[in-house]
Amino acid sequence: MTHPSVFYCFLLPMLASSVALGAPAAITQCQQCHSEGSASTERSAALTSLNKTDFTKKLQAYQQQVIPDSIMSKSAHRLSAKQIEELADYYQDLKSH
């Protein structure tokens, strides 16, 4: 049997980092490259720079491979329409704070 402290020491901090703060579950997929959404690098754009409509359209374009990008197309393909909407709402919220 696993000691309860394992949960508190290892699993709880991972859950608290995004899900407990109201972030959609799919956020972990985005954070791998985009951090919290406000960082922009040579390869990954700041997700908070897009408004909700543009964010949604861009993810859909990656899904349909209208915008060719091997990494983003694979990531976007895994998302449902509901997850895309949740992510767009989340990043729009971050932008306004």
Side-chain angles (χ1 to χ4, degrees):
M1 181 173 184
T2 304
H3 193 275
S5 64
V6 171
F7 175 77
Y8 294 108
C9 292
F10 297 105
L11 300 178
L12 191 59
M14 290 188 304
L15 292 172
S17 67
S18 59
V19 178
L21 299 175
I27 194 78
T28 56
Q29 195 172 309
C30 303
Q31 288 176 335
Q32 292 175 9
C33 298
H34 296 277
S35 187
E36 281 297 318
S38 57
S40 186
T41 67
E42 184 179 316
R43 180 70 178 121
S44 57
L47 298 179
T48 54
S49 67
L50 300 170
N51 64 41
K52 182 179 176 176
T53 302
D54 291 341
F55 182 93
T56 302
K57 286 181 180 178
K58 199 156 193 176
L59 270 180
Q60 290 168 339
Y62 283 123
Q63 273 186 325
Q64 299 161 6
Q65 297 184 342
V66 173
I67 303 174
D69 183 296
S70 61
I71 295 170
M72 281 303 302
S73 292
K74 286 178 188 173
S75 296
H77 185 71
R78 296 181 199 133
L79 298 171
S80 68
K82 183 178 183 340
Q83 288 173 313
I84 290 173
E85 183 178 346
E86 289 171 349
L87 288 168
D89 286 338
Y90 176 76
Y91 284 113
Q92 185 68 41
D93 247 13
L94 277 183
K95 185 178 181 174
S96 63
H97 287 104

